[in-house]
Amino acid sequence: MVKKIRLLGMVIDNFSLHEEMQIGEGFYNRSEMNIIRTVSMKMLGMAADLRAVRDGIGQADLLIIGDKEILTEAGIYSGQRLREAAGHGFMQEYFAHMCRNGRRVFLVANVRQELELLQDYLRSAYETMWIVGCYAIEDCGGEYDSMINEINAAMPDALVSVVDSPKEDEFLLQAKAKISAKVWYSIGKQYREPYEKMSFLFRFRQLLHKGRFKSLIHHYDDEHQWERSRGQR
């Protein structure tokens, strides 16, 4: 199986679920914080326009594919990989391991309402998860030191983030080295999908992201094909 795929000039990990889990669990044995990021069609579309998002993807230590269309656009049609991406298999397994191994978890979101939604989900789906603190970025007013101090005071093993790009990218580029946790796991909004899939607005937005993503891929491929053919003349 191809372990790395390239789309829109970016290299994206394509490990099996077993390999992702081995890598993700191995991060707890390292001295520095490692970043796990869930990559969506929307995020890749933003990265095509915003350098901060592209840099944020580049600094991740493990990228998890969150939309099966990313795989199919890269020419990967393995039924198992498509199911893992569509079903968010890594998130489920990694959270289960957090509970089983007694990891101390700190939650981060853009706003308090998002924190409450995340807490409700985790309390329902992962009752034994050890949540030691939470923080909404809106409360720090752009001064990250207070947020970093609160995170470090709680002594978490891992942070679970639903902060949007490019805010998350900008924060991590400034604060990564100051955080004493072992793992920053960015799950995006995928945890809400089971509750939103029947919503017309959710399906409509997914169609928009899918259409824009495919358009960007094809435009990028056509542009680089033209450059290659021009260079051969």
Side-chain angles (χ1 to χ4, degrees):
M1 184 176 72
V2 177
K3 305 299 183 185
K4 303 281 185 179
I5 59 179
R6 182 179 290 273
L7 289 173
L8 299 173
M10 290 170 280
V11 178
I12 302 166
D13 297 323
N14 180 43
F15 299 110
S16 68
L17 176 57
H18 177 70
E19 291 169 326
E20 289 172 343
M21 286 301 300
Q22 284 187 317
I23 296 169
E25 285 296 306
F27 290 156
Y28 291 109
N29 299 320
R30 298 186 182 179
S31 57
E32 74 281 3
M33 187 176 77
N34 289 262
I35 299 171
I36 303 174
R37 300 204 66 175
T38 304
V39 181
S40 65
M41 292 184 291
K42 179 182 178 182
M43 182 184 291
L44 292 179
M46 291 177 66
D49 299 324
L50 298 173
R51 180 61 182 268
V53 180
R54 183 179 288 266
D55 289 345
I57 291 173
Q59 77 164 337
D61 301 285
L62 176 63
L63 294 173
I64 304 298
I65 294 173
D67 288 317
K68 65 181 182 180
E69 289 82 4
I70 295 174
L71 292 168
T72 55
E73 285 300 320
I76 296 171
Y77 297 94
S78 162
Q80 181 175 344
R81 285 296 294 132
L82 294 176
R83 286 191 297 274
E84 289 170 355
H88 308 305
F90 177 81
M91 182 184 75
Q92 296 172 11
E93 286 291 319
Y94 206 60
F95 281 171
H97 275 240
M98 284 181 177
C99 297
R100 193 176 306 129
N101 297 323
R103 305 295 187 193
R104 296 168 60 87
V105 180
F106 195 101
L107 310 180
V108 185
N110 294 296
V111 297
R112 288 183 176 275
Q113 183 182 11
E114 188 71 58
L115 268 181
E116 292 171 3
L117 289 172
L118 179 59
Q119 287 176 309
D120 289 345
Y121 165 73
L122 293 174
R123 286 169 180 158
S124 173
Y126 303 92
E127 295 178 0
T128 60
M129 182 175 284
W130 189 3
I131 299 173
V132 297
C134 58
Y135 202 99
I137 284 185
E138 69 172 354
D139 292 338
C140 69
E143 295 295 330
Y144 295 138
D145 285 346
S146 60
M147 176 178 171
I148 294 167
N149 290 338
E150 188 160 335
I151 290 171
N152 289 339
M155 296 186 294
D157 298 303
L159 293 102
V160 173
S161 167
V162 291
V163 179
D164 293 327
S165 289
K167 176 64 71 176
E168 182 177 58
D169 309 283
E170 295 165 352
F171 171 77
L172 286 173
L173 286 168
Q174 293 183 46
K176 178 185 176 182
K178 300 177 182 178
I179 298 174
S180 60
K182 300 295 186 180
V183 172
W184 178 287
Y185 179 20
S186 174
I187 65 171
K189 301 297 189 291
Q190 62 173 310
Y191 75 97
R192 288 162 51 178
E193 283 189 13
Y195 308 98
E196 296 182 341
K197 275 185 175 177
M198 300 308 294
S199 160
F200 170 78
L201 183 58
F202 173 83
R203 296 199 303 271
F204 179 70
R205 284 175 177 167
Q206 282 297 95
L207 284 173
L208 287 179
H209 294 322
K210 184 176 180 179
R212 182 168 187 269
F213 178 64
K214 286 180 175 289
S215 176
L216 285 169
I217 293 289
H218 296 156
H219 177 74
Y220 183 90
D221 289 345
D222 289 345
E223 187 177 82
H224 283 72
Q225 179 63 38
W226 180 82
E227 289 177 355
R228 284 194 295 269
S229 63
R230 185 183 181 191
Q232 292 170 357
R233 292 175 184 173

